[in-house]
């Protein structure tokens, strides 16, 4: 009996064990098949979600390029862009980028004027700066060209880098040259923001701007016609964070790197830090172009992605197989033993409850994790016990600990701003009574530092008793202080803009929708055209004011240029729709029927996505200005005709406070004076100064500068100029002067050719200082030049000597051979002695046969040596018919403090001594 029972027991256990093993095998096979299917589904889900996110990223990157192209066109079609225009144009773009800057090209000649212009525009202390290795600013070192940050627009940083010379930074300068030489935008690697936080890294998108609005074809032309650079600070990390920071993106990781560089580091990734991805699910790759870079964007799955999108059957199929296996085995066992079956059912139910508890706990954990990732704080209110509890994020944002904040309702209420307290209590009462489905309220809450922050609470009653009384409420709190600050700034900007529009009474500002209906008609427009804003806004179009014939002519011009057929308002804004700025003069009609000349500039109004929403027009009445210009032109023409009849050249010359000069007016006589062709262009002040003789240029410039500094009432000077043919002319200039209120100085005068007069003066001067017989200098010149040389020797402490000589027995020569031969003797002596003198020496005839030589830079010994040489020459020379003729010499050296008369008397005494001691000798 025991054997039978034992066999039956083993049989029941054996059958149950076989059933259990078979069930486990089937469960394993089913689970494996389910895992494979789930793996393929996860891969498909990754490709689908990754493709959607990839499209968002590509769209945002293209938006950055589009924003840069729009800013580049704005600069290309504007001669000058003011700081306010720059900030206004870029304001909407700052929501997507770190900042935008303008760095003009400034040559070393333009540096001072550029810095002064910026300081005049309100940038106190502005100068071009370099950044040294210690991150300290210093004035920029001299170089041929600079690229200073002149305009900066940013929501995150102030003007800390204003004036920074990008050419001084090797990496940045290489980036600028790459963009300049290619003519296209260029993108940098990750860089630390210069002059700011080194931890803040971003990329620079640099776009060149050229004069003329077009990219020159040749490399040399691009370097010469460069106007400056537009620099957009781009944080791909911020782009990813803004686009992808939502709950639906949990479980994916994205990385961006340069596809053109091998082993390039990541430029941006999300989330941060970058966790390890699941390689078995594959990757989603896409190449996105930004400027001159190809960006490789890669999206991969994280383990949390599998947890989020995994097929639930993968979890419960093994359990279901196990349950079925156990139930089958238990069913077999029930047939043999009821007790074992009941116990198996209890164990199975217990396992199910534990599984459900684990699932509920997992759901609650994921719910709290989702709230934490959204940045919201969580609060719970036990209304029956009057106790409030807050999560750590809620308290940490306010700077409190749980013990500091408290758990009573009064603790929370006392920190609510007094202006919001009553409203918050009313909202809570309404929701507790069931009058609202959810609790939602915005109010100011005091933090630990005593400051009030704007927050938004959302919650709901989750438990009520049988009588409907609220027992428990749970909710979240969101920090909206930054949003409120943005709203306040937007409201202030709106009020400021309205004030500006109302104050601009001299300028007509009008706006329309895309169909042409007026949406704005400011006070200036009412004054200019006579219509009230209420009469035209949302009722009329600009065709009410325009000349139909001009609109028709513009339509025909657009069609002739191949831009399409447009009529009416469409023709007026056709070029604006193409991305250009329409600016021209129009003939427009006042309400009273009078026609006026109006300068009108039309630009597009776009939303933050770049979509066209309307058009903005700025109009200025130029009727009176046109008339004044016409009258001035006629006056200038009459003045030019009158000036052409005057000998020489009439001019109006201007110098401003910075020393810049120009000819406001110069008559055609200047071209005749300089032998220039007027067809070569207007005569510039700098060009005229280059034609002044090099020996006169410094003196003339000094006289002009002295007239300016002393504010003299008149100026006159005489100087030489070089004509186009190389001829030297003497010119006399005279002018009356005038000081202007702006600090500038004006010369009104004329230039006339005095070359003939100067030649006559030179000839007359030569006659007055030259002995007509010997061509040596005369006594008058000796007295003038002698005093001058003594003054020079006294000033520079240099030696000066005087050599005097007298022809021996000259009277006897005259008596014996006649005065004609006496004159020949004098001429022969001067000719022979002049050949032995230096160019700096002065040979003078004092009278009769007496001569003197002024010897600058010569001491007594050198002068005596010269006298000995001349005496030897007399001994050797033989004159025709007369034969040998000798002379007596005296040499003296000037002594400090002596006058010319004193030196002459000493020499004359020595000469008398030589005569007395036998002649034909040297004394001194």
């Amino acid at each position: 009996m025991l054997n039978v029972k034992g066999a039956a027991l083993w049989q029941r256990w054996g059958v149950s064990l076989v059933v259990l093993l078979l069930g486990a095998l089937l469960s394993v096979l089913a689970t494996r098949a389910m895992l494979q299917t789930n793996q393929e589904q996860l891969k498909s889900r990754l490709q689908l979600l990754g493709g959607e996110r990839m499209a968002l990223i590509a769209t945002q990157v293209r938006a950055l390029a589009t924003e840069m192209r729009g800013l580049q066109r704005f600069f290309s079609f504007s001669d000058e862009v003011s700081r306010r225009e720059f900030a206004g144009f870029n304001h909407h773009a700052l929501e997507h980028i770190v900042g935008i800057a303008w760095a003009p090209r400034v040559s070393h000649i333009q540096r001072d004027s550029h810095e002064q212009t910026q300081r005049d525009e309100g940038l106190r202390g502005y100068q071009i700066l370099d950044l040294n290795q210690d991150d300290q600013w210093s004035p920029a070192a001299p170089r041929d060209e600079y690229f200073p940050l002149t305009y900066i627009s940013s929501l995150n940083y102030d003007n800390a880098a204003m004036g920074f010379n990008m050419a001084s930074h090797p990496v940045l300068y290489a980036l600028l040259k790459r963009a300049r030489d290619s003519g296209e935008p260029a993108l940098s690697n990750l860089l630390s923001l210069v002059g700011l936080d080194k931890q803040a890294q971003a990329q620079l998108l640099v776009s060149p701007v050229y004069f003329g609005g077009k990219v020159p074809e040749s490399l040399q032309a691009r370097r010469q016609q460069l106007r400056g650079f537009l620099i957009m600070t781009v944080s791909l990390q911020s782009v990813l964070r803004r686009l992808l920071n939502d709950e639906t993106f949990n479980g994916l990781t994205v990385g961006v790197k340069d596809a053109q560089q091998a082993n390039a580091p990541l430029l941006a990734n999300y989330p941060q830090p970058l966790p390890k991805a699941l390689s078995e699910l594959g990757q989603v790759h896409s190449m996105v172009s930004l400027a001159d870079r190809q960006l490789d964007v890669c999206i991969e799955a994280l383990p949390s992605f599998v947890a989020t999108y995994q097929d639930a059957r993968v979890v419960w199929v093994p359990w279901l197989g196990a349950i079925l296996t156990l139930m089958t085995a238990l069913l077999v066992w029930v047939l043999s033993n009821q007790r074992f079956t009941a116990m198996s059912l209890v164990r199975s139910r217990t396992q199910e409850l534990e599984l459900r508890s684990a699932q509920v706990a997992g759901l609650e954990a994921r719910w709290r994790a989702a709230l934490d990732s959204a940045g919201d704080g969580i609060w719970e209110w036990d209304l029956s016990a009057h106790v409030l509890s807050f999560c750590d994020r809620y308290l940490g944002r306010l700077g409190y600990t749980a013990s500091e904040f408290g758990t009573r309702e009064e603790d929370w209420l006392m920190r609510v701003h007094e202006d919001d307290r009553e409203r918050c209590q009313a909202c809570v009462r309404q929701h507790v009574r069931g009058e609202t489905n959810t609790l939602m309220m915005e109010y100011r809450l005091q933090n630990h530092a005593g400051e009030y922050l704007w927050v938004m609470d959302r919650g709901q009653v989750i438990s009520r008793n049988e009588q409907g009384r609220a027992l428990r409420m749970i909710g979240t709190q969101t920090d909206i202080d930054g949003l409120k600050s943005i709203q306040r700034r937007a409201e202030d900007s709106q009020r400021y803009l309205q004030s500006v529009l109302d104050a601009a009474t001299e300028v007509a500002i009008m706006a329309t929708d895309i169909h042409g209906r007026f949406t704005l008609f400011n006070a200036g427009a009412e004054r200019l055209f006579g219509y009230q804003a209420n009469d035209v806004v949302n009722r009329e179009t600009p065709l009410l004011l325009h000349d139909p014939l001009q609109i028709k002519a513009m339509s025909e011009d657009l069609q002739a240029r191949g831009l399409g057929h447009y009529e009416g308002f469409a023709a007026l804004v056709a070029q604006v729709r193409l991305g250009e700025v329409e600016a021209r003069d129009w003939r427009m009609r006042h309400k009273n029927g009078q026609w006026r000349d109006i300068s009108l500039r039309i630009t597009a109004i776009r939303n933050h996505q770049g979509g066209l929403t309307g058009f903005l027009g700025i109009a200025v009445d130029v009727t009176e200005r046109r008339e004044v210009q016409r009258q001035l032109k006629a006056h200038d023409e009459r003045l030019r005709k009158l000036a052409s009849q005057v000998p020489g050249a009439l001019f109006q010359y201007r110098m401003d406070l910075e020393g810049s000069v120009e000819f406001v007016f110069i008559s055609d006589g200047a071209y005749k004076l300089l032998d220039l062709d007027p067809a070569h262009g207007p005569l510039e002040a700098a060009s005229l100064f280059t034609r002044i003789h090099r020996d006169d240029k410094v003196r003339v410039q000094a006289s002009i500068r002295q007239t300016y500094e002393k504010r003299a009432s008149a100026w006159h000077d005489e100087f030489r100029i070089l004509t186009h043919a190389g001829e030297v002319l003497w010119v006399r200039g005279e002018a009356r002067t005038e000081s202007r209120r702006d600090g500038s100085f004006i010369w009104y005068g004329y230039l006339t050719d005095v070359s003939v007069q100067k030649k006559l003066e030179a000839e007359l001067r030569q006659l007055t200082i030259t002995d007509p017989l010997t061509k040596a200098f005369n006594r008058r010149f000796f007295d003038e030049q002698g005093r001058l040389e003594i003054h020079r020797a006294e000033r520079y402490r240099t030696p000066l000597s005087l050599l005097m000589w007298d022809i021996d027995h000259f009277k006897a020569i005259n008596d014996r051979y006649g005065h004609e031969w006496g004159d020949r003797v004098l001429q022969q002596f001067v000719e022979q002695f002049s050949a032995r003198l230096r160019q700096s020496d002065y040979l003078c005839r004092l009278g009769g046969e007496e001569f003197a030589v002024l010897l600058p830079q010569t001491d007594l010994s050198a002068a005596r040596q010269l006298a000995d040489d001349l005496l030897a020459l007399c001994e050797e020379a033989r004159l025709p018919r007369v034969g040998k003729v000798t002379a007596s010499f005296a040499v003296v050296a000037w002594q400090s403090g002596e006058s010319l008369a004193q030196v002459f008397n000493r020499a004359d005494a020595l000469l008398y001594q030589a005569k007395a001691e036998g002649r034909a000798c040297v004394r001194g």
Side-chain angles (χ1 to χ4, degrees), residues 774-800:
T774 63
K775 306 305 179 183
F777 293 113
N778 58 19
R779 179 61 181 264
R780 178 181 179 181
F781 179 83
F782 174 79
D783 292 339
E784 293 177 356
Q785 192 66 29
R787 285 190 292 270
L788 179 62
E789 292 299 333
I790 288 177
H791 176 73
R792 184 179 291 117
E794 185 77 47
R795 180 178 181 181
Y796 297 107
R797 301 181 182 277
T798 57
L800 173 66

Side-chain angles (χ1 to χ4, degrees), residues 330 333-334 337-348:
L330 288 173
W333 184 253
V334 165
N337 194 317
Q338 186 68 31
R339 182 174 178 274
F340 285 102
T341 301
M343 292 180 64
S344 297
L345 289 174
V346 170
R347 286 195 300 270
S348 177

